[in-house]
Amino acid sequence: MAKVAFLGLGVMGYPMAGHLRQQGHEVTVYNRTQAKAQAWVKEYGGCACATPKEAAIGQDMVFVCVGNDDDLRQVILGTDGALHGMAAGAILVDHTTASADAAREIAAALSAHSVAFLDAPVSGGQAGAENGVLTVMVGGDADIFAAVKPVIAAYARSAELMGPVGAGQLTKMVNQICIAGVVQGLAEALSFAENAGLNGEKVVEVISKGAAQSWQMENRYKTMLQGQYEFGFAVDWMRKDLNIALNEARRNGASLPLTALVDQFYAEVQAMGGNRWDTSSLMARQRKLQSK
Ligand code: NAP
């Protein structure tokens, strides 16, 4: 069993840290809003610290799942950051969806203190985290990955090493590019079904057994038809992810016209007050357009 810290107990981090504890690992947590850390300790045991640095002291591994590049820099490299508590030979695993540049920058800063780093963004959403069946895309050294893999198995159905540091984030960008187009397609299809006077549920029951099937269709069609978006993967996070992918594409020359368009649609959802709505809220935008 490993001695670990988990920094960032949001929608994803809270249940992920819980799975580590349930597997018998010794878990110390940190969350910026301390009430969440107290609630976690009450539910799972373990202990909570007031800063990332304190939480990181004496740990074999430190896991992080915060918001964006800047949050990551603050939690790891800031004055009270984890870097200042970690000993040589320890490993930091970052589950935040961030840029490949941030991953390389943080890996270099940690390396100067002989601390290893893996970028390890996840896919599978809130339900995947709660049920411990996430997909983890990893960048870093093979021997470090081999040491971490049995520990992250607590919340991962699959974890794969994709290449050197940054490769996990690049793989996650591919994942988000796929999702953007699929969710918009699903929103258009469901609103078309409504306008055509069809029973949306029955339509999906039939077409989900054929070539149109997708994770988004299976897991989101009901709530999209019901107009429920107060859960899941926030639109703010999706825009962050799409902007990371669009920036990377500007560098590597990939053409992403659909991703750029759907990003603008998400900006419209934000203007409707949907910053924290699930990404399937592209359906709310469709309905608004159709009601005009
Ligand atoms: P969330 O619920 O908003 O939680 C974010 C966590 O990060 C909170 O614990 C927050 O602390 C902490 N945090 C943010 N900025 C911080 C800072 N500057 N210093 C210290 N702590 C900070 O987000 P989430 O849904 O768990 O997502 C976390 C990451 O996973 C994101 O990068 C997201 O893109 C990615 N992701 C999410 C999903 C999903 O379905 N939700 C799926 C795959 C990947 P407070 O509690 O104090 O706000």
Side-chain angles (χ1 to χ4, degrees), residues 254-269:
S255 167
L256 303 182
L258 183 57
T259 307
L261 184 63
V262 176
D263 178 54
Q264 288 313 298
F265 292 171
Y266 277 123
E268 291 175 33
V269 175

Side-chain angles (χ1 to χ4, degrees), residues 3-5 7 26 28 49 51-62 81-87 90:
K3 197 166 177 302
V4 308
L7 316 178
E26 200 178 312
T28 299
C49 288
T51 67
K53 176 182 169 180
E54 273 178 48
I57 291 171
Q59 309 295 352
D60 305 324
M61 296 171 196
V62 175
L83 166 65
H84 307 295
M86 294 179 78

Side-chain angles (χ1 to χ4, degrees), residues 104-177:
R104 293 184 200 107
E105 175 194 324
I106 288 164
L110 290 170
S111 171
H113 291 75
S114 303
V115 172
F117 175 83
L118 297 176
D119 52 303
V122 300
S123 171
Q126 181 175 2
E130 287 168 355
N131 297 322
V133 293
L134 292 169
T135 295
V136 190
M137 305 146 234
V138 184
D141 291 344
D143 53 339
I144 302 299
F145 177 61
V148 165
K149 197 175 177 186
V151 181
I152 61 179
Y155 46 78
R157 176 163 52 194
S158 136
E160 286 294 330
L161 186 65
M162 306 307 297
V165 167
Q169 295 297 354
L170 291 170
T171 305
K172 174 75 183 185
M173 290 173 215
V174 177
N175 186 77
Q176 299 308 77
I177 292 164

Side-chain angles (χ1 to χ4, degrees), residues 10 62 68 94 101 118 127 162 252:
V62 175
N68 60 27
D94 176 35
D101 280 349
L118 297 176
M162 306 307 297
N252 71 20

Side-chain angles (χ1 to χ4, degrees), residues 9 11-12 31-33 36 66-67 71 74 97 237 240:
L9 302 173
V11 167
M12 301 299 281
N31 196 70
R32 179 179 57 184
T33 306
K36 271 192 218 168
V66 291
D71 302 330
Q74 202 174 334
T97 303
W237 286 154
K240 166 201 47 119

